[in-house]
Amino acid sequence: MKKIALLLTILISQCMVAQNQNLSNPDDYTNSSLMPEVGQYLINGWVKEAVSSQQISYNESRISVYLYNDTGVLVDQYHFSPSGKIIDQWQKIEGIIMVQSHHKYISIELENLSNNKQVFFDDIRMFPVSGNMKSFVYDQETLKLMAELDENNYATFYEYDQEGGLIRVKKETEKGVFTIQETRSSNVKQ
């Protein structure tokens, strides 16, 4: 089993992003602004496995959540696998974790369970079950809105022409991606 290089570590009293750091020494972490409280949290994201044939479901990837006490000892763990339909080669991973008062560190690992297959993760989110979250993706060069991820982590995609005008809006659903708006324009030749 391979774990991809990204390892997010969230301290309940503090937060930081780490790459493969040992959780046994709480003094290694620095202060930050994210302080998850006791409660239920929804974690979700999308995964794509590099496969040569069409799949009904992916089975070589998962998101694992490990909860540690204040001395760095693992006390609880959750493993979430892809489920639901594969939409444009991506399948959703989703689950609920319970953060309790004795949990002090949360490690979220994006895992590739295969030794010979590439796995890609996207749009990983964690927020309280009673909450709601929207995310936005912008083109880094034009700063135009490229996608909006709704409260269920499904995307609305925005496509532009060379002049920067909006030409197409597509919506991702459980049944696939559908065009919901298309605009065509042209200049009159004289």
Side-chain angles (χ1 to χ4, degrees), residues 44-186:
N44 64 26
W46 292 90
V47 65
K48 177 170 74 169
E49 296 180 7
V51 293
S52 58
S53 61
Q54 187 173 4
Q55 304 287 307
I56 294 174
S57 185
Y58 294 137
N59 56 13
E60 297 291 341
S61 54
R62 71 180 181 193
I63 296 176
S64 294
V65 180
Y66 300 95
L67 299 144
Y68 300 85
N69 67 14
D70 59 351
T71 62
V73 174
L74 177 66
V75 290
D76 288 306
Q77 58 186 303
Y78 298 87
H79 304 285
F80 304 111
S81 298
S83 62
K85 286 183 140 187
I86 295 176
I87 303 168
D88 275 0
Q89 300 179 2
W90 292 90
Q91 190 171 22
K92 196 171 186 182
I93 297 179
E94 187 169 57
I96 295 175
I97 64 167
M98 180 65 189
V99 174
Q100 300 177 34
S101 61
H102 64 279
H103 296 142
K104 300 300 176 193
Y105 311 99
I106 299 174
S107 173
I108 302 170
E109 297 183 10
L110 312 177
E111 296 178 316
N112 178 352
L113 305 175
S114 170
N115 288 324
N116 57 2
K117 187 186 300 181
Q118 287 185 316
V119 173
F120 305 91
F121 291 87
D122 198 13
D123 304 323
I124 307 299
R125 308 191 308 183
M126 180 179 155
F127 56 95
V129 167
S130 61
N132 197 326
M133 178 180 236
K134 276 192 170 187
S135 304
F136 301 90
V137 179
Y138 293 91
D139 182 282
Q140 66 182 3
E141 307 226 346
T142 66
L143 303 180
K144 288 201 174 285
L145 180 64
M146 301 304 294
E148 178 181 337
L149 296 141
D150 66 16
E151 54 278 345
N152 296 313
N153 211 358
Y154 286 102
T156 300
F157 301 102
Y158 301 93
E159 297 178 8
Y160 303 90
D161 61 19
Q162 290 182 352
E163 289 80 35
L166 182 64
I167 59 169
R168 193 170 300 111
V169 179
K170 293 182 177 181
K171 179 70 179 155
E172 181 178 50
T173 70
E174 289 180 359
K175 295 180 181 180
V177 178
F178 299 97
T179 299
I180 58 173
Q181 178 184 336
E182 194 161 9
T183 306
R184 294 180 188 231
S185 62
S186 64

Side-chain angles (χ1 to χ4, degrees), residues 7-39:
L7 169 64
L8 302 174
T9 303
I10 302 170
L11 292 102
I12 291 181
S13 60
Q14 310 171 40
C15 173
M16 71 172 293
V17 175
Q19 287 198 355
N20 297 325
Q21 292 191 12
N22 185 347
L23 291 176
S24 62
N25 185 1
D27 296 330
D28 289 344
Y29 301 101
T30 59
N31 289 329
S32 186
S33 61
L34 179 63
M35 297 189 304
E37 298 175 359
V38 171

